[in-house]
Amino acid sequence: MSATPTTAPAGATRVLVLNSGSSSVKYQLLDMAGGGRLASGLVERIGEQTSRLAHTPPAGRDGTGQEGGERTREGRIADHEAALKAVAEELAADGLGLDSPELAAIGHRVVHGGRRFTEPTVIDDAVLAEIERLVPLAPLHNPANLTGIRTARALGPHLPQVAVFDTAFHTTIPEPAARYAIEKETADAHRIRRYGFHGTSHAYVSRRTAELLGRDPSEVNVIVLHLGNGASASAVRGGVCVETSMGLTPLEGLVMGTRSGDTDPAVIFHLARVAGMSVDEIDTLLNRRSGLTGLCGDNDMREIRRRIEEGDEAARLAFEVYTHRLKKYVGAYYAVLGRVDAVTFTAGVGENAAEVRAAALEGLEGLGLSVDPGRNGVRGREPRLISPGDARVAVAVVPTDEELEIARQTYALVGAAEAA
Ligand code: AMP
């Protein structure tokens, strides 16, 4: 497959964004000429008998007469190829198929771009080989991303395909922050350093924060707290990332739904020696049975809040470990930046859990940080300030939109110049 297109068909303004996981594919079709989100969906449990495709068509085109209602397919979808074919069929049924002249490109989320990929990149055979070379750094994610890319290239050979890397925004982190203090030769031989993840979200949210403040991103220093099921913090100086909490893998940093975040690395040796656990068992413990789940059995912040209301002590402790870690990172990144213009919360917990936002910043008035209880209690999908009117440092909630950012970056790279 050598003649890979590098520019979109003339006049085409739509981007299909694909996020291929090991057993799932999430997708959105966005119109970059002001048409917004046209369709979206999710294929789950690929390879199982109980696969399911849920497709949300454009408003009024769901075939049921209802506006924007969901269409579903149940039953085995054997592999990613079958999944993407089914997605293409659903889109075609809405008149939005891969052969539609309005489709400009396909943008793929790729988790690990190592040090090599600092920007969104048009995918050709050499780029695919390079992403393959990074598999040892992201053994769960990059293979699934690659499968999605290969399948999409086969289904849409006339379309430019762009990889947007989760690590790219963090490739600007200066060496003293990116290096671990372990033997240099060993670290270099095995590409061990801080890469960071959720970069597309941190890029989008830090830029939207500057817009919310009515300032140019180059003038604004922001601490972004991306608190979803996975969670990470970043320090962004003038639009450039200078620190982030995830490291070689997404395990480091904040307390997450099921991941421990920071621990003493010697916990691992201790468990191996004293508890007789294997490396794989410890990996599973720290990635899947730790974090909020490990502390109280629940990873959903709504459930944890409900249990706290009922006086549940394990849930309260989980909440406090979570918010204590957050506060520590806010303080650390304040020191890294020196001057902070905004602290911004995003993703499922950050956008919805007012109690988490209040607890994370409680007692930081000396740093100019506080939350107005009335503003913090307001719910909404729009970016908003939750700090008091006279605050020295803005505190904001900015809903993240990784798909929109992937589409934007994809279109900026391959779209028609006049519409970009
Ligand atoms: P994400 O990975 O960004 O989709 O975030 C998922 C997480 O957000 C869930 O596991 C919940 O812990 C949290 N979440 C979602 N909605 C709410 C809500 N209304 N209140 C508190 N937490 C929420």
Side-chain angles (χ1 to χ4, degrees):
M1 217 180 283
S2 45
T4 308
T6 56
T7 52
T13 56
R14 295 175 182 166
V15 177
L16 177 63
V17 176
L18 292 180
N19 182 350
S20 307
S22 54
S23 64
S24 68
V25 176
K26 275 191 229 157
Y27 62 95
Q28 284 195 8
L29 180 69
L30 295 121
D31 181 29
M32 306 316 288
R37 203 171 313 263
L38 298 173
S40 63
L42 169 67
V43 190
E44 295 173 282
R45 297 188 291 278
I46 295 171
E48 294 179 34
Q49 292 305 330
T50 56
S51 314
R52 181 171 191 270
L53 187 161
H55 175 81
T56 305
R61 283 214 218 157
D62 61 345
T64 66
Q66 290 171 344
E67 287 264 303
E70 196 178 77
R71 288 200 303 263
T72 57
R73 290 189 188 195
E74 313 261 349
R76 181 172 159 80
I77 296 177
D79 51 24
H80 280 73
E81 189 181 342
L84 284 187
K85 277 191 178 146
V87 169
E89 284 168 19
E90 291 296 336
L91 290 168
D94 296 329
L96 303 168
L98 297 190
D99 53 358
S100 136
E102 286 101 350
L103 188 58
I106 301 181
H108 297 266
R109 174 185 184 225
V110 179
V111 166
H112 217 307
R115 301 183 73 180
R116 158 79 174 70
F117 293 110
T118 59
E119 301 280 346
T121 305
V122 176
I123 299 167
D124 58 17
D125 292 345
V127 169
L128 266 183
E130 198 62 35
I131 297 172
E132 184 95 58
R133 215 177 61 79
L134 294 163
V135 164
L137 290 173
L140 296 179
H141 294 102
N142 272 28
N145 302 155
L146 279 166
T147 306
I149 292 171
R150 290 201 177 100
T151 310
R153 285 180 94 197
L155 290 178
H158 59 294
L159 293 167
Q161 315 248 348
V162 174
V164 177
F165 298 92
D166 246 26
T167 46
F169 186 60
H170 304 305
T171 54
T172 50
I173 292 176
E175 197 61 7
R179 264 215 179 258
Y180 294 112
I182 61 177
E183 188 182 59
K184 192 167 180 303
E185 293 72 23
T186 303
D188 289 347
H190 299 286
R191 296 181 283 179
I192 295 171
R193 60 187 286 109
R194 175 179 308 288
Y195 292 100
F197 299 89
H198 293 148
T200 309
S201 176
H202 287 282
Y204 175 82
V205 169
S206 55
R207 200 179 62 245
R208 293 285 282 151
T209 301
E211 283 171 21
L212 181 66
L213 300 181
R215 295 171 66 183
D216 192 87
S218 66
E219 298 170 355
V220 177
N221 293 353
V222 191
I223 297 173
V224 177
L225 303 171
H226 175 110
L227 311 177
N229 202 22
S232 62
S234 69
V236 182
R237 175 181 290 132
V240 176
C241 187
V242 294
E243 248 294 13
T244 197
S245 60
M246 284 178 167
L248 173 73
T249 77
L251 181 56
E252 194 181 349
L254 302 175
V255 178
M256 312 184 206
T258 64
R259 292 181 215 139
S260 61
D262 296 336
T263 53
D264 181 344
V267 167
I268 296 164
F269 322 138
H270 185 79
L271 286 171
R273 291 180 188 131
V274 176
M277 290 173 73
S278 70
V279 168
D280 285 344
E281 285 169 343
I282 300 171
D283 189 327
T284 304
L285 174 83
L286 296 179
N287 274 297
R288 299 191 187 279
R289 292 195 282 120
S290 295
L292 294 170
T293 291
L295 288 166
C296 75
D298 269 310
N299 72 344
D300 192 313
M301 193 54 80
R302 285 164 287 202
E303 187 58 17
I304 290 171
R305 289 304 311 170
R306 194 190 59 72
R307 285 173 54 186
I308 292 173
E309 296 299 317
E310 291 176 352
D312 186 315
E313 280 311 310
R316 171 169 301 283
L317 180 64
F319 181 85
E320 289 177 353
V321 173
Y322 185 98
T323 51
H324 173 77
R325 182 82 53 84
L326 259 180
K327 186 181 293 186
K328 249 178 28 176
Y329 269 89
V330 170
Y333 287 6
Y334 207 117
V336 166
L337 289 170
R339 189 203 84 221
V340 177
D341 299 295
V343 174
T344 304
F345 290 87
T346 193
V349 176
E351 291 166 28
N352 295 297
E355 304 89 350
V356 168
R357 299 191 294 255
L361 300 184
E362 190 186 351
L364 301 186
E365 293 80 6
L367 298 178
L369 281 167
S370 62
V371 163
D372 178 272
R375 290 180 171 187
N376 192 30
V378 175
R379 304 182 64 85
R381 284 295 303 161
E382 291 302 310
R384 58 196 183 275
L385 291 174
I386 58 168
S387 41
D390 59 351
R392 220 171 357 114
V393 181
V395 181
V397 177
V398 174
T400 193
D401 196 336
E402 287 165 280
E403 288 78 15
L404 175 61
E405 181 65 16
I406 291 171
R408 200 188 67 84
Q409 293 191 15
T410 297
Y411 195 64
L413 189 61
V414 299
E418 69 271 20

Short mmCIF file of all heavy atoms in Angstrom, two decimals, residues 226-230 299-302 347-349 352-353 379, ligand 1:
data_model
loop_
_atom_site.label_atom_id
_atom_site.label_comp_id
_atom_site.label_asym_id
_atom_site.label_seq_id
_atom_site.Cartn_x
_atom_site.Cartn_y
_atom_site.Cartn_z
N HIS A 226 -7.21 16.05 34.54
CA HIS A 226 -8.09 15.17 33.75
C HIS A 226 -8.47 13.99 34.66
O HIS A 226 -7.66 13.10 34.91
CB HIS A 226 -7.35 14.69 32.50
CG HIS A 226 -8.13 13.69 31.69
ND1 HIS A 226 -8.66 13.97 30.45
CD2 HIS A 226 -8.48 12.41 31.94
CE1 HIS A 226 -9.31 12.91 29.99
NE2 HIS A 226 -9.21 11.94 30.88
N LEU A 227 -9.71 14.03 35.17
CA LEU A 227 -10.12 13.03 36.16
C LEU A 227 -11.25 12.18 35.57
O LEU A 227 -12.43 12.50 35.73
CB LEU A 227 -10.59 13.73 37.45
CG LEU A 227 -9.66 14.81 38.02
CD1 LEU A 227 -10.29 15.45 39.25
CD2 LEU A 227 -8.30 14.23 38.33
N GLY A 228 -10.88 11.14 34.86
CA GLY A 228 -11.86 10.19 34.36
C GLY A 228 -11.67 8.88 35.09
O GLY A 228 -11.24 8.89 36.25
N ASN A 229 -11.96 7.77 34.43
CA ASN A 229 -11.64 6.50 35.06
C ASN A 229 -10.12 6.39 35.18
O ASN A 229 -9.59 6.03 36.21
CB ASN A 229 -12.25 5.35 34.25
CG ASN A 229 -12.40 4.13 35.12
OD1 ASN A 229 -12.45 4.20 36.35
ND2 ASN A 229 -12.43 2.97 34.49
N GLY A 230 -9.40 6.74 34.09
CA GLY A 230 -7.98 7.04 34.22
C GLY A 230 -7.86 8.51 34.58
O GLY A 230 -8.75 9.30 34.27
N ASN A 299 -15.42 1.91 41.72
CA ASN A 299 -14.58 2.88 41.01
C ASN A 299 -15.39 4.08 40.52
O ASN A 299 -14.82 5.00 39.96
CB ASN A 299 -13.83 2.21 39.86
CG ASN A 299 -14.73 1.86 38.70
OD1 ASN A 299 -15.96 1.84 38.86
ND2 ASN A 299 -14.15 1.57 37.57
N ASP A 300 -16.69 4.05 40.73
CA ASP A 300 -17.52 5.15 40.22
C ASP A 300 -17.73 6.19 41.33
O ASP A 300 -18.26 5.88 42.40
CB ASP A 300 -18.87 4.59 39.74
CG ASP A 300 -19.64 5.63 38.95
OD1 ASP A 300 -19.75 6.79 39.41
OD2 ASP A 300 -20.13 5.28 37.86
N MET A 301 -17.31 7.42 41.03
CA MET A 301 -17.38 8.47 42.06
C MET A 301 -18.81 8.74 42.52
O MET A 301 -19.04 9.10 43.67
CB MET A 301 -16.72 9.74 41.51
CG MET A 301 -16.44 10.80 42.53
SD MET A 301 -15.48 10.24 43.96
CE MET A 301 -13.80 10.26 43.33
N ARG A 302 -19.80 8.51 41.65
CA ARG A 302 -21.21 8.71 42.08
C ARG A 302 -21.56 7.73 43.18
O ARG A 302 -22.18 8.11 44.19
CB ARG A 302 -22.16 8.47 40.89
CG ARG A 302 -22.16 9.58 39.89
CD ARG A 302 -22.79 9.14 38.61
NE ARG A 302 -21.89 8.23 37.90
CZ ARG A 302 -21.94 7.99 36.59
NH1 ARG A 302 -22.85 8.57 35.85
NH2 ARG A 302 -21.08 7.18 36.01
N ALA A 347 -13.00 15.79 32.38
CA ALA A 347 -13.35 14.35 32.31
C ALA A 347 -14.43 14.00 33.35
O ALA A 347 -14.84 14.87 34.12
CB ALA A 347 -12.12 13.47 32.42
N GLY A 348 -14.86 12.74 33.34
CA GLY A 348 -16.07 12.33 34.07
C GLY A 348 -16.16 12.83 35.51
O GLY A 348 -17.15 13.43 35.90
N VAL A 349 -15.11 12.63 36.30
CA VAL A 349 -15.12 13.08 37.69
C VAL A 349 -14.92 14.60 37.74
O VAL A 349 -15.66 15.31 38.43
CB VAL A 349 -14.01 12.37 38.51
CG1 VAL A 349 -13.95 12.91 39.92
CG2 VAL A 349 -14.23 10.85 38.51
N ASN A 352 -18.05 16.55 36.73
CA ASN A 352 -19.31 16.30 37.44
C ASN A 352 -19.25 16.33 38.96
O ASN A 352 -20.26 16.58 39.60
CB ASN A 352 -19.87 14.93 37.01
CG ASN A 352 -20.24 14.92 35.55
OD1 ASN A 352 -21.13 15.64 35.12
ND2 ASN A 352 -19.55 14.10 34.77
N ALA A 353 -18.10 16.00 39.53
CA ALA A 353 -18.06 15.81 40.98
C ALA A 353 -17.60 17.09 41.69
O ALA A 353 -16.41 17.30 41.92
CB ALA A 353 -17.15 14.63 41.34
N ARG A 379 -24.31 22.72 37.27
CA ARG A 379 -23.93 21.68 36.33
C ARG A 379 -24.09 22.19 34.90
O ARG A 379 -24.89 23.10 34.65
CB ARG A 379 -24.82 20.44 36.51
CG ARG A 379 -24.80 19.91 37.93
CD ARG A 379 -25.64 18.66 38.04
NE ARG A 379 -25.10 17.59 37.22
CZ ARG A 379 -24.15 16.75 37.62
NH1 ARG A 379 -23.64 16.86 38.83
NH2 ARG A 379 -23.70 15.81 36.83
P1 AMP B 1 -14.47 9.16 31.93
O1 AMP B 1 -13.37 8.14 31.95
O2 AMP B 1 -14.02 10.54 31.65
O3 AMP B 1 -15.65 8.75 31.09
O4 AMP B 1 -15.04 9.22 33.44
C1 AMP B 1 -15.75 8.13 34.00
C2 AMP B 1 -15.91 8.36 35.49
O5 AMP B 1 -16.51 9.63 35.75
C3 AMP B 1 -16.85 7.37 36.17
O6 AMP B 1 -16.18 6.18 36.54
C4 AMP B 1 -17.31 8.15 37.40
O7 AMP B 1 -16.41 7.92 38.47
C5 AMP B 1 -17.20 9.59 36.98
N1 AMP B 1 -18.48 10.25 36.82
C6 AMP B 1 -19.28 10.26 35.74
N2 AMP B 1 -20.41 10.98 35.97
C7 AMP B 1 -20.33 11.43 37.24
C8 AMP B 1 -21.18 12.21 38.09
N3 AMP B 1 -22.33 12.69 37.66
N4 AMP B 1 -20.73 12.48 39.34
C9 AMP B 1 -19.55 12.00 39.78
N5 AMP B 1 -18.72 11.25 39.03
C10 AMP B 1 -19.09 10.97 37.78
#
